[in-house]
Amino acid sequence: MKPRTKLEKLVTELSGKLPAITKEQEDWGKEHVFDHLAYKCKDELWCSECGKMWVDASNSELGITVLGDKTECPYCHHRLDVKVSRKQKDHEGGYMSILQVKGGFQVIRHIYCMRSTYKETHPVHYDFTEMVQEWISEDGKRTIIARPMNMGGNGWIYGAPLSIKSEYGSSCWNYRGDIYAIWGELYPKKELLSELKKRGLNRRFPDVNPSKLIRDLLKGSNDAELCLKTGQISMLKHMYKTGFSQLRYKPSFNICNRNHYIIKDASMWEDYMSLLSYFGKDLRNAHYVCPKNLKVEHDSLLEKKKICEAKLRQERDRIAAIRRREKLMKDIASFYERMKKFFGMKITDGNIVICPLESVTQFYQEGKVMHHCVYSNGYYKRPDCLILSAKDIDGKRIETIEVNLKTLDIVQSRAVCNGVSEYHNQIIKLVKKNMNLIRQKMTA
Ligand SMILES: [Zn+2]
C-alpha cells in the first residue's frame, strides 16, 4: 500500500532512517532464538551450531563429557542439549523483536531469524529478515509497515519490500487476529518512550505480548499500569492470557496492594475470589483476600463448595421425586375418574377380544410388551383419548387402538414396535362396528 495519510507518509520516511540490524543484534538472535542441540544417533553426535560431527566418546581417551542430557561441541564449544534424532539437516526459524524509539514513536521491529545446518556437508547458514515494524504513537495508535503475505496468509513474501499495511491486512485470511503483534524474543537493549516509563514499564519487560501491552499502556489502560507499578506481574500475565483488559476483582486487588501482598498465582487467586463470593465472604477484608497460603485456602473452600453443591443436588432431586410422585397420583386419580365408565367393556368377535386399558400400570405393561410409547408419552393423561388393547383368545396382545372420544374416530391402531399386524383390518372393522357401545358408555 502506498502511504496516503500524513501519518503514513511520516512513518514511511522515518522507517527509511532506521539503522540496519547490527551484528551485535544478530549474534544475540543466534543465541536466543534457536535451540542449541546435539543430534545423537547411535554413537554419533552432530552440532546444530556448526554442523560438525563427532563420536560419543564418553568412555574414550577424547574424554568428551555428556552431563545428563547436556554436552559440549568439541569444535565450536557450544553448550548443547542432546536430542536423539536421525535428522541429517535442520532448519529452524523464529522471531526476535527489537524495541526502538524514532521520531516520537515506539517502534517494535520483528526480525525473522532462520538457521540452516547440515550434518558435515555445508557450513551453517543464518538469515535475518525484518518482516514487520509496528509504529506506535504516544496515544497508542499503531501504523504498520510490513512485507506482504502470500495468498494462503501463512507466510511472508521475502523478496517484496516493506510497505504500509492496513491494521487488519487487506484480505479475508486475517481471521487469526492480530498477525502483526508478533511476540518474538525481546532483544534486551530496549529503547522505550518516556511515556511508557512513566506508566511503569522498564527494561525488565514482563512476559506478555509487547505490542499489546505497549498499546494498552499508551491508550491509558489503568489496570495494566497498576499491575506494573505494584509489581503484580502474575496478575498482569493472567489478564493478557485470559484476554480481559480489566481486573475482575479490582477492590480486592487494591486491598492486596495496600497490604503489600503480591499475588503469585493470579488464576488461582481469581478462582479463590469467586469461591469467597460463593460463600458470601467479605471480598474487601484483607483476612480473606490476602491468604498466607493461597493453595490451602483455595483447596479447602473448593472442597466445601463441592460438599455444598452435592447436598443441594440431593435436595433438588428429592423434591423433584416428590413432585413426580404427586403428579403421578393426580394423573392416576383423574384417569380413573375419566375412564371408569369404560371399565369392564369388552368388544369381541370370538377370535379377537378388545378391552380398554384400565390403569396406569396397564399402560405401562402395554407399552413395554408392544415396544411403543403409549405409556412414555402419557396417553393416560389425554382427556379425549380412549386406549383399547386388542388380544387374541389366548390373551396375546395384537394391537393397541386409540379412539378419540370427541369425534369417535379411530386415530391409530398399532402392533408391536408401531407396526401393523395381520389382524389390523379386522380390528378396525370390529371397533367401528362397536362404536355405538362406546358412545353408550360415554353417556351412561
Ligand atoms: Zn559446534
Side-chain angles (χ1 to χ4, degrees), residues 277-310:
S277 132
Y278 176 88
F279 286 107
K281 301 290 187 205
D282 182 3
L283 294 187
R284 291 168 192 248
N285 183 334
H287 170 73
Y288 291 119
V289 303
C290 309
K292 273 214 180 68
N293 191 330
L294 174 61
K295 188 171 177 354
V296 167
E297 297 299 324
H298 168 273
D299 290 357
S300 113
L301 280 188
L302 188 63
E303 200 47 45
K304 262 192 207 163
K305 183 179 172 185
K306 273 187 202 155
I307 294 166
C308 265
E309 300 262 277

Side-chain angles (χ1 to χ4, degrees), residues 9 21 92 173 191 210 216 253 261 271 277 281 285 331 353 388 411 417 429-430:
K9 283 176 186 159
I21 302 305
E92 246 202 280
W173 65 60
E191 295 171 21
D216 283 350
F253 183 75
Y261 178 87
D271 245 22
S277 132
K281 301 290 187 205
N285 183 334
D331 287 341
V353 182
L388 305 163
V411 180
C417 298
K429 234 166 141 183
L430 187 57

